[in-house]
Amino acid sequence: MSTQAIESLSEDTVRRIAEERDEPEWLLETRLNALSALETAELPDVIQTPGRRWTDLEALDFESLVDPLNQSDTTERSVGDDEVVVLPFTEAFDEYGDVIEANFGSVLDPEHNYLTALSVALFTTGTFVYVPEGVDVEDVTVRAEMNSRSLFSQTLVVAEESSSVTILESIEPGDGEVDADRYFSNLVEIAAGENASVQFGSLQNLDDETYTYSLKRADVGVYGTVDWIESNFGSKLTRSDVESELNGDGAESQIVGTFFGTEDQHFDINARVWHQAEHTTADLVTRGVLDDVARSVYEGVQDVGNDAWNTSSYQRENTLMLSDDAEADASPKLIINNHDTEASHSATVGQVDAEDLFYLESRSIDSHTARNMLVEGFFVPVLEEIAVDEFRDDVEELVFERLQ
């Protein structure tokens, strides 16, 4: 379903953003094409069950949420290896303009839906990561604070043949006070070349007045690997899409997701993988916890193409509810067009096990502590999948804070 026009948004606004950032002509044209696409673009699909649309994106008032000329953020980028390029786009065009032009929008179509088009037309912050052939780097970090009513971010990662990189990205509220609902959009595209390996961890912990949309997509080449870690703890409404296209023989991808909702938070979590080549492997693992009147909906899709011989694809999603008033739905899907496939999917939604709780309480552990121990244990299988110690520690700390 399409959404309402934003009267305050015009071609002049987009041109002003591009001019202030001294962007090349091709990117201005990309922005203007995205702006034009808003007239007909549809909002992202949402899960529907009989009589219910789980996520009401149509209710978002973009006229009041979007303030394109007053975007503000504080972003710190760090890397321990001089051979890898980690720059804001504004500083990268002079030397790496050709690489950016060749890859920007090649993985994630700016006009994919209304929210991607809006983001590409208006983004003012973001990061370009370029890993040359044969370079290995493990400590790229991008830590951002949102200081304005709306903020649109764009990240492009280009990993050349036989390179390797681990990137940790986080977003949280800044010091600037905004007395209104806020909107944050984050688009990430990864182009992983032959035998390249990319780990990309993203941690969202924005305040409960913020609506968040993120779409992260990877194009994985021959024998390439892209592993995602997607953790959502903040914002009032979170729509998170993480996707991998396994386009090269022997390509692999893992998507690990965690979320923890309290009060009236709403999480719309989606993980998708397309097996397009032979001998590809995917593993989708998500665990979430809901308390109070929080809600979540999850969709996982494993799509095996006609030419994807000898595919291995697995998916599991588990949601634990700590409140009788919390709600969750899960929709794992297998789309298999090749019989030479080994695949499985599962999803569970349930309460804390009463017998486990009783067992701990019978050992003189108070009910609150016992419940927290079970929740921490519930996250362990996913935390064990997170190979990056720093990221795993951050997630564990946020889980502990929520339980207090």
Side-chain angles (χ1 to χ4, degrees), residues 91-399:
E91 298 177 21
F93 286 124
D94 286 347
E95 188 170 352
Y96 302 99
D98 291 344
V99 178
I100 298 174
E101 183 176 4
N103 289 277
F104 190 98
S106 66
V107 180
L108 199 168
D109 181 2
E111 300 172 28
H112 178 64
N113 62 45
Y114 184 93
L115 299 183
T116 59
L118 185 67
S119 195
V120 171
L122 300 181
F123 80 93
T124 60
T125 190
T127 302
F128 170 61
V129 179
Y130 174 56
V131 193
E133 181 178 346
V135 171
D136 296 325
V137 60
E138 296 182 353
D139 51 1
V140 176
T141 60
V142 181
R143 297 189 178 275
E145 294 181 351
M146 179 177 178
N147 302 321
S148 52
R149 176 178 294 181
S150 58
L151 184 65
F152 297 88
S153 177
Q154 189 89 22
T155 298
L156 171 62
V157 180
V158 179
E160 291 192 336
E161 181 179 345
S162 300
S163 66
S164 175
V165 63
T166 296
I167 303 164
L168 303 181
E169 167 195 86
S170 66
I171 180 71
E172 57 186 24
D175 295 331
E177 294 186 10
V178 178
D179 187 22
D181 287 341
R182 307 207 284 182
Y183 181 78
F184 174 67
S185 176
N186 184 25
L187 303 185
V188 177
E189 51 184 340
I190 296 175
E194 182 176 345
N195 200 40
S197 176
V198 179
Q199 288 191 89
F200 193 98
S202 184
L203 180 59
Q204 181 270 118
N205 192 33
L206 291 164
D207 59 52
D208 59 8
E209 299 301 317
T210 304
Y211 297 88
T212 300
Y213 173 71
S214 68
L215 173 56
K216 304 176 176 73
R217 179 176 289 176
D219 175 355
V220 191
V222 175
Y223 298 118
T225 300
V226 173
D227 292 337
W228 302 95
I229 310 167
E230 178 79 356
S231 291
N232 289 285
F233 286 81
S235 88
K236 177 184 293 187
L237 183 152
T238 297
R239 169 63 186 245
S240 166
D241 295 355
V242 181
E243 304 176 345
S244 291
E245 297 183 21
L246 304 180
N247 293 318
D249 290 351
E252 299 181 5
S253 185
Q254 182 183 53
I255 302 174
V256 176
T258 58
F259 61 90
F260 197 142
T262 60
E263 297 182 349
D264 63 347
Q265 285 184 283
H266 182 108
F267 295 95
D268 187 328
I269 306 294
N270 302 272
R272 303 183 183 92
V273 61
W274 289 270
H275 296 265
Q276 308 281 26
E278 298 182 12
H279 312 293
T280 55
T281 302
D283 190 20
L284 284 55
V285 187
T286 299
R287 287 206 167 193
V289 172
L290 301 175
D291 203 354
D292 304 318
V293 293
R295 295 191 300 172
S296 72
V297 58
Y298 167 87
E299 182 179 63
V301 178
Q302 302 147 275
D303 190 317
V304 181
N306 291 319
D307 298 323
W309 299 95
N310 193 23
T311 289
S312 299
S313 192
Y314 309 100
Q315 176 184 175
R316 51 204 183 278
E317 194 277 340
N318 309 97
T319 305
L320 181 66
M321 295 189 291
L322 307 181
S323 164
D324 291 337
D325 297 317
E327 292 184 281
D329 190 39
S331 177
K333 296 177 180 177
L334 285 172
I335 304 172
I336 298 178
N337 298 296
N338 187 306
H339 67 271
D340 187 16
T341 297
E342 183 177 305
S344 66
H345 69 307
S346 65
T348 63
V349 175
Q351 301 276 354
V352 171
D353 189 279
E355 289 188 8
D356 291 343
L357 193 62
F358 176 77
Y359 174 83
L360 293 175
E361 291 175 344
S362 69
R363 266 57 181 173
S364 301
I365 300 173
D366 67 86
S367 59
H368 180 74
T369 302
R371 187 199 73 159
N372 289 358
M373 290 173 64
L374 292 173
V375 172
E376 290 172 357
F378 173 78
F379 275 117
V380 165
V382 171
L383 294 173
E384 289 178 342
E385 298 284 351
I386 300 176
V388 184
D389 293 342
E390 180 182 354
F391 195 96
R392 185 171 58 250
D393 292 343
D394 287 346
V395 173
E396 287 181 323
E397 182 178 346
L398 284 172
V399 170

Side-chain angles (χ1 to χ4, degrees), residues 18-61:
E19 289 170 3
E20 288 178 350
R21 294 159 47 84
D22 194 24
E23 292 177 349
E25 186 67 24
W26 70 262
L27 184 51
L28 171 60
E29 290 301 315
T30 301
R31 288 183 181 275
L32 293 175
N33 289 338
L35 177 68
S36 298
L38 293 176
E39 297 178 6
T40 56
E42 302 287 319
L43 283 167
D45 290 336
V46 299
I47 293 293
Q48 298 188 58
T49 51
R52 182 173 191 179
R53 289 175 62 83
W54 275 81
T55 304
D56 189 8
L57 295 176
E58 291 82 5
L60 296 183
D61 182 5

